[in-house]
Amino acid sequence: EAQVTQNPRYLITVTGKKLTVTCSQNMNHEYMSWYRQDPGLGLRQIYYSMNVEVTDKGDVPEGYKVSRKEKRNFPLILESPSPNQTSLYFCASSLRTGNTEAFFGQGTRLTVV
Amino acid sequence: QKEVEQNSGPLSVPEGAIASLNCTYSDRGSQSFFWYRQYSGKSPELIMFIYSNGDKEDGRFTAQLNKASQYVSLLIRDSQPSDSATYLCAVSPYGQNFVFGPGTRLSVLP
């Protein structure tokens, strides 16, 4: 089954404790991205990757890191989480940028206390 | 700054009515337009995409695009309670990232 898998689904952590949210897709998609979703603000892009070893900042990259060492994986790293990073996070992949459908992971609800 | 705007709602319609969801965008270079549906706490799922001016129909859903007015809409005919969700408009210039609107919350009343 074609899918984008994120883990964990739910995470509560403390300020400053490094964490990684994993994202994996099995569709051989070139393009992957991370979004955060907050009430009233919609989906905002954090980082994206057009292919292996190619990553770039989205609209809200501060406080986040990513890597794309393999085509299927695109982890999101919070080196020192803060309460303002409490949000619902989605990973998405598509065959290429722009004019093809984006497939979304199940979401990760992160709470930083 | 590329912007996509939608009325946040909630938009309430009675069961069986037509729901009309609207979206405007600022980047005239936008070439691809998508409508996603998102149930509360779930991930967005694609309903329709449209690339050309005019209407595109798929079952109860019709997407309408007017590039001159920078306007795209989604009509849902014979609305059902199961259509109650947030509808996200996404826009993409060729070869560039998606930009999502804030979403419109639709409530279909039985």
Side-chain angles (χ1 to χ4, degrees), chain A residues 23-71:
Chain A
C23 175
S24 180
Q25 51 93 4
N26 62 359
M27 295 168 279
N28 202 35
H29 285 170
E30 291 183 356
Y31 184 81
M32 297 184 74
S33 58
W34 276 102
Y35 296 87
R36 61 177 290 174
Q37 188 173 37
D38 303 289
L41 296 178
L43 285 164
R44 294 182 293 167
Q45 191 175 55
I46 303 170
Y47 268 94
Y48 64 94
S49 169
M50 294 197 180
N51 215 323
V52 176
E53 301 291 2
V54 180
T55 64
D56 210 343
K57 297 177 181 178
D59 297 319
V60 288
E62 292 78 21
Y64 304 95
K65 285 175 60 177
V66 293
S67 68
R68 187 92 182 271
K69 296 190 172 89
E70 306 164 279
K71 200 170 189 179

Side-chain angles (χ1 to χ4, degrees), chain B residues 12-84:
Chain B
S12 296
V13 300
E15 184 174 356
I18 296 175
S20 177
L21 304 162
N22 304 315
C23 172
T24 59
Y25 59 95
S26 62
D27 187 348
R28 285 195 171 274
S30 299
Q31 297 197 353
S32 307
F33 307 86
F34 303 82
W35 282 100
Y36 285 83
R37 177 176 62 200
Q38 186 178 24
Y39 293 111
S40 181
K42 302 295 185 183
S43 55
E45 54 182 346
L46 183 71
I47 298 177
M48 291 192 70
F49 60 88
I50 185 167
Y51 302 145
S52 304
N53 276 329
D55 294 359
K56 179 180 179 182
E57 186 174 320
D58 184 0
R60 295 187 296 113
F61 299 95
T62 298
Q64 299 175 317
L65 175 61
N66 183 326
K67 288 186 179 180
S69 300
Q70 296 174 244
Y71 175 91
V72 58
S73 65
L74 179 70
L75 301 178
I76 307 174
R77 289 181 299 281
D78 188 24
S79 296
Q80 301 297 310
S82 58
D83 294 326
S84 298

